[in-house]
Amino acid sequence: MLPTGMSVEELYREHPSRPRNPRLASAMHRARLIEHWGTGTLRIINACESRGMPKPEFVSSMGSFIVRFNRALNEPTSETNNEPSGWQQIALNYIRENGSITTSVFQKLLGVSNRQAYNYLILLVNNKIIERVGSGRSTHYVTSA
């Protein structure tokens, strides 16, 4: 749960760090298992936004703290101006510059799992934005004609 006096709303902006166990936090910092404390929620939000995902939802309820990540898979384009979302633009730019893209290249560009990268590419295929070429290890994706 959140530290006493801290609200969920505060997690979406700069806020003071109040580790529950300062000794454990300090030991983890010295062991380089964490960079520093007090920036985690903002870093999570920035990582989601940079990948074209919605902001995560932070919930503190009944002694538990939950972070919900909402997938952008069902949002092929932004609703306001029909422009490609962040991850779509990354894929399309890469294909324009390099002629095609593979799942493994797209995975590295986005910093997501191989499965997530594949799901994004298949969504673009299903929306007829790109086409799948080849099969197995030779599978790659190109822009639709």
Side-chain angles (χ1 to χ4, degrees):
M1 63 182 172
L2 291 174
T4 305
M6 181 172 275
S7 70
V8 169
E9 292 76 28
E10 288 179 86
L11 301 177
Y12 290 95
R13 60 183 184 273
E14 295 278 337
H15 58 274
S17 174
R18 290 183 250 166
R20 283 212 167 280
N21 185 333
R23 289 181 180 169
L24 180 60
S26 180
M28 291 181 74
H29 182 263
R30 286 193 312 272
R32 298 181 189 258
L33 296 172
I34 60 172
E35 290 181 24
H36 44 329
W37 51 85
T39 62
T41 56
L42 296 177
R43 292 172 64 205
I44 291 169
I45 291 166
N46 290 335
C48 288
E49 289 178 340
S50 72
R51 289 172 173 81
M53 295 172 58
K55 286 182 182 180
E57 180 183 357
F58 301 118
V59 179
S60 182
S61 175
M62 298 188 302
S64 296
F65 182 75
I66 301 166
V67 180
R68 288 190 186 123
F69 295 95
N70 298 305
R71 294 190 214 187
L73 283 177
N74 296 330
E75 302 170 14
T77 56
S78 67
E79 297 174 17
T80 54
N81 58 10
N82 217 22
E83 290 294 315
S85 66
W87 63 267
Q88 290 174 324
Q89 198 61 56
I90 291 169
L92 294 173
N93 287 344
Y94 189 91
I95 293 170
R96 283 188 199 109
E97 292 173 14
N98 299 284
S100 68
I101 194 167
T102 63
T103 303
S104 61
V105 166
F106 195 45
Q107 171 191 4
K108 289 174 186 161
L109 287 172
L110 294 181
V112 297
S113 70
N114 189 275
R115 182 49 138 183
Q116 186 67 56
Y118 172 78
N119 287 340
Y120 280 154
L121 291 170
I122 291 304
L123 184 63
L124 292 175
V125 168
N126 291 342
N127 286 301
K128 301 191 184 335
I129 297 170
I130 63 174
E131 294 177 8
R132 182 179 170 154
V133 178
S135 63
R137 290 184 181 256
S138 68
T139 302
H140 58 281
Y141 301 86
V142 298
T143 54
S144 294

